[in-house]
Amino acid sequence: GIVTFELQLGVLTPMRADNFYAITTGLPAWWSQSPSSGSTAWSLLTTNFNDTPANVMACPDTTSFGSSYFWTPLWFVPTPNAQLTFRHAYATTAGQDGGRLQIAVQGLSSFNDILSAGGRFVTGGYSNGLWSGDSGGFVTTSVLLPPQAAGRNVQFRWQFFNNGSLAVRGWFVDSVALLASSCCLAPDAVDLAVQAADSPDPATVVNLVTYSI
C-alpha cells in the first residue's frame, strides 16, 4: 500500500501576535467587536485571570440571548501550513452557551467556521462542535489554516453565543499569534534529505522485505 507522511519543514515563527498588554481600554488597534441585539460585547479586562499580564479579552455569559463577535485586523498568511494559536479559558452553560472560531479569506469568502472553511485543529479543538462547559483554566488551541489562506489576507473571528439560560463566567481569550514556517538556511540549501533502502535486494515473492527510510 501507500503510506503518506506530513512533514513540517522550517520553524513556525510568529508573523503577527497580540497579548493585549499594550492597551488599557477599548480594543487593540484595528481589532473590532460587534454584539448582536441583546448580547454583551467583548471588552478588555485588566485582571489576574489572564494568560499574560495584565489584560485579557473577555465576553461574559449572561442571561441575554444572542451572539457576540470580536475579530482581528487583516493578517497576511505567507506560507501554506500556517497556524493560528491562542490561549483561552471558558466557563459556560455546558452544551448551550459556548464559542467557535471563524475565518474569512479576503477575496474568497466571508466569515465561516474554521472547520467548514477547511482548517484543522492541531490541539485544543471543539468538543461536540464548540467550546462549552468549564475548561478548568487557560488552555491552548492551535489550528492549521485552510490551504486557500496561503498568500492571502485573512481575518479571524471569535463568536460567543448564549441562549439566555444561566449567567456564568464567560469566555476569555489571550496570547493570539499567527505562525508560519520560516527557515534560516540559504535559499539553495536542502531542508530535508530522504534515503530509502530495502533488504534483501533483490527481493522475491516469498521473502519478507524490510524498508528503511
Side-chain angles (χ1 to χ4, degrees):
I2 298 175
V3 179
T4 302
F5 299 91
E6 292 185 4
L7 301 176
Q8 177 72 56
L9 302 183
V11 178
L12 285 175
T13 303
M15 300 290 107
R16 300 295 298 267
D18 206 324
N19 58 8
F20 312 119
Y21 76 93
I23 54 175
T24 56
T25 60
L27 296 174
W30 308 112
W31 288 63
S32 303
Q33 66 88 21
S34 176
S36 63
S37 177
S39 60
T40 304
W42 286 84
S43 62
L44 181 79
L45 290 184
T46 301
T47 171
N48 291 329
F49 189 68
N50 51 47
D51 182 57
T52 56
N55 301 323
V56 64
M57 291 301 301
C59 188
D61 186 1
T62 69
T63 55
S64 300
F65 181 87
S67 292
S68 294
Y69 305 87
F70 93 103
W71 58 94
T72 67
L74 285 169
W75 285 353
F76 181 71
V77 179
T79 64
N81 298 321
Q83 295 184 20
L84 178 76
T85 182
F86 59 97
R87 297 271 291 166
H88 60 133
Y90 48 90
T92 75
T93 307
Q96 300 183 53
D97 305 340
R100 294 192 181 104
L101 176 68
Q102 300 176 331
I103 185 173
V105 180
Q106 190 178 40
L108 291 181
S109 65
S110 57
F111 283 108
N112 290 298
D113 184 86
I114 189 69
L115 298 182
S116 300
R120 177 166 55 87
F121 286 113
V122 179
T123 58
Y126 300 148
S127 176
N128 297 320
L130 74 164
W131 293 297
S132 183
D134 192 341
S135 64
F138 278 86
V139 295
T140 299
T141 287
S142 297
V143 59
L144 187 67
L145 303 191
Q148 66 270 24
R152 293 182 178 270
N153 289 315
V154 303
Q155 288 179 285
F156 302 99
R157 187 167 74 172
W158 287 260
Q159 175 196 17
F160 184 72
F161 56 91
N162 57 68
N163 67 357
S165 55
L166 298 174
V168 198
R169 194 166 190 180
W171 195 12
F172 303 81
V173 175
D174 204 352
S175 305
V176 179
L178 172 64
L179 310 177
S181 297
S182 64
C183 189
C184 56
L185 297 177
D188 58 349
V190 176
D191 281 334
L192 179 68
V194 177
Q195 293 180 329
D198 56 14
S199 178
D201 188 5
T204 61
V205 174
V206 296
N207 288 340
L208 295 176
V209 180
T210 301
Y211 287 93
S212 301
I213 300 176

